[in-house]
Amino acid sequence: STADIRPGYQLKALPDSKFAVLRQLVSHPTEGFLSMFKGALSQWVYDMLHLLLQPTLEGILNEMLGLYDSAPASTYIDASAPSALTLIASSAIVGWLLSPLELVRTRLVVQSASPIHRKYRGTFHALKTVAREEGGLTALYLSPYHAVPTLVKHTLDTVFRNMGSFALDRVAGIDPYDHPATFAIGGLVWKTISAVVMLPIDTIRTRLQAQPRYTNKAVSESASKGKQVDRFIAFRTCVPISPVPYTGMINCAWRIITEEGASLKQIKRRRAAEMAAAMSGESEKASQISNVGYYGLRGLYPGISLQLMANVAIFGLSFVRLEEMDGAF
């Protein structure tokens, strides 16, 4: 079975429960408690730079377009930005500029923590190594495997994070003051739509980031000039990744749907049924069972249940707040 040939530095097939995943990660001999904080520095640097650059660029765009005094939509945008266009554009541009940090964070999280198999020693070493082995800044910023998912992610994420009030008030016609309860329900629906749309994009983008795309020239130079540049080390991951590289967002989504649509329990039950049919001499039935693909959207939505539960909890708290405000008046 696949469990028998699994490398010692890799986790077993991850169970459905997120808490079981954490227990398995902490108890693994080459991972441990500190593995829960992989990529923390990369994330912190990204957050600080984004916090500095995005408002600055947005202000420059607003000043250039003269939108500070002529933007009535500011009341309806959650972030109180004068223009939705400059808000979305600045977020997408800054997200694209900082995307190498997100790529590095994914690689640091996914790589094995074993000192023997670890490829990247830290954030800045990972940036240098990825740039040297995978085509430099051109590949990091212009490769369709990274640039397209990044722009899609940061554009849609900004829309869902900041345009909820505008959509409910101006588009759906729900006034937050006249109909606060309906407005709260609309907010829950908006957050649910956001989760349904953004989770597959985040999943696909993470899968593409976790796949190194080495250039032959970089690998050969690393192998031949070990003293002048860092020796080439294969990328060993603590979780299994696809041995066949994805060719883009659509290919990645389709393969996840067709290859990972079933849960582990469903796969085990199907394999047991296939073995039972084969042992009983029903070879045709066993062949039919084995040829059925694991189709489904499950693989595109990791953690969807927890996110929906959090949305419902926030929705419940908003109703408690509404009742407190009604009691005050």
Side-chain angles (χ1 to χ4, degrees):
S1 63
T2 56
D4 297 329
I5 61 174
R6 175 179 54 87
Y9 54 81
Q10 278 190 354
L11 300 172
K12 296 179 181 179
L14 298 181
D16 294 332
S17 170
K18 305 306 175 191
F19 299 103
V21 174
L22 288 177
R23 287 199 303 269
Q24 189 180 134
L25 180 68
V26 171
S27 61
H28 195 273
T30 62
E31 295 298 324
F33 177 77
L34 293 179
S35 291
M36 294 192 295
F37 303 96
K38 287 180 178 179
L41 177 60
S42 303
Q43 186 63 49
W44 180 82
V45 173
Y46 174 87
D47 290 339
M48 293 300 102
L49 290 176
H50 194 281
L51 187 64
L52 172 66
L53 295 176
Q54 189 275 324
T56 302
L57 180 58
E58 183 184 351
I60 293 173
L61 293 175
N62 287 331
E63 187 70 28
M64 290 173 59
L65 299 175
L67 294 172
Y68 280 110
D69 299 325
S70 59
S74 61
T75 308
Y76 302 97
I77 300 175
D78 296 355
S80 300
S83 170
L85 180 61
T86 57
L87 173 65
I88 295 171
S90 60
S91 298
I93 293 172
V94 171
W96 173 72
L97 289 174
L98 299 179
S99 60
L101 286 171
E102 294 181 295
L103 170 65
V104 162
R105 178 186 178 275
T106 299
R107 298 283 180 88
L108 291 173
V109 169
V110 172
Q111 78 167 350
S112 171
S114 168
I116 300 174
H117 302 289
R118 186 169 56 224
K119 180 179 180 67
Y120 308 114
R121 297 193 294 269
T123 299
F124 301 106
H125 176 261
L127 280 172
K128 182 180 70 173
T129 303
V130 170
R132 186 183 71 249
E133 296 180 349
E134 301 180 34
L137 294 178
T138 302
L140 287 176
Y141 283 113
L142 301 180
S143 169
Y145 304 109
H146 302 312
V148 174
T150 293
L151 292 174
V152 171
K153 192 265 186 193
H154 287 288
T155 299
L156 293 180
D157 189 55
T158 304
V159 170
F160 282 116
R161 285 180 181 273
N162 300 285
M163 298 296 292
S165 296
F166 178 82
L168 294 175
D169 194 340
R170 282 296 187 90
V171 179
I174 304 173
D175 191 280
Y177 300 104
D178 295 338
H179 307 284
T182 306
F183 194 84
I185 295 174
L188 175 62
V189 173
W190 180 261
K191 289 181 181 295
T192 302
I193 295 174
S194 172
V196 171
V197 173
M198 294 306 302
L199 266 179
I201 294 174
D202 288 333
T203 301
I204 292 168
R205 184 167 179 250
T206 301
R207 296 288 186 95
L208 292 173
Q209 288 177 336
Q211 288 188 158
R213 298 184 180 276
Y214 304 119
T215 60
N216 294 330
K217 180 180 179 181
V219 173
S220 60
E221 286 182 353
S222 296
S224 61
K225 301 178 181 179
K227 295 183 179 180
Q228 299 178 17
V229 298
D230 289 343
R231 179 175 58 87
F232 177 79
I233 301 175
F235 184 52
R236 308 294 185 184
T237 58
C238 64
V239 292
I241 61 175
S242 175
V244 180
Y246 302 113
T247 59
M249 293 187 69
I250 296 176
N251 174 260
C252 181
W254 175 248
R255 286 176 54 187
I256 292 174
I257 292 172
T258 56
E259 298 172 3
E260 305 172 33
S263 66
L264 291 175
K265 292 181 180 179
Q266 292 172 327
I267 294 173
K268 290 178 180 179
R269 283 199 298 266
R270 186 179 299 182
R271 288 178 177 174
E274 180 185 351
M275 290 180 63
M279 293 178 66
S280 62
E282 300 177 7
S283 58
E284 184 176 350
K285 181 179 179 181
S287 178
Q288 290 177 351
I289 295 174
S290 64
N291 289 332
V292 175
Y294 300 116
Y295 292 88
L297 298 175
R298 179 181 174 279
L300 290 174
Y301 291 96
I304 183 68
S305 57
L306 289 177
Q307 188 159 346
L308 293 180
M309 289 171 60
N311 291 342
V312 172
I314 295 173
F315 170 72
L317 291 174
S318 67
F319 261 106
V320 172
R321 184 181 178 186
L322 287 175
E323 292 180 358
E324 292 178 349
M325 292 177 64
D326 291 339
F329 288 104

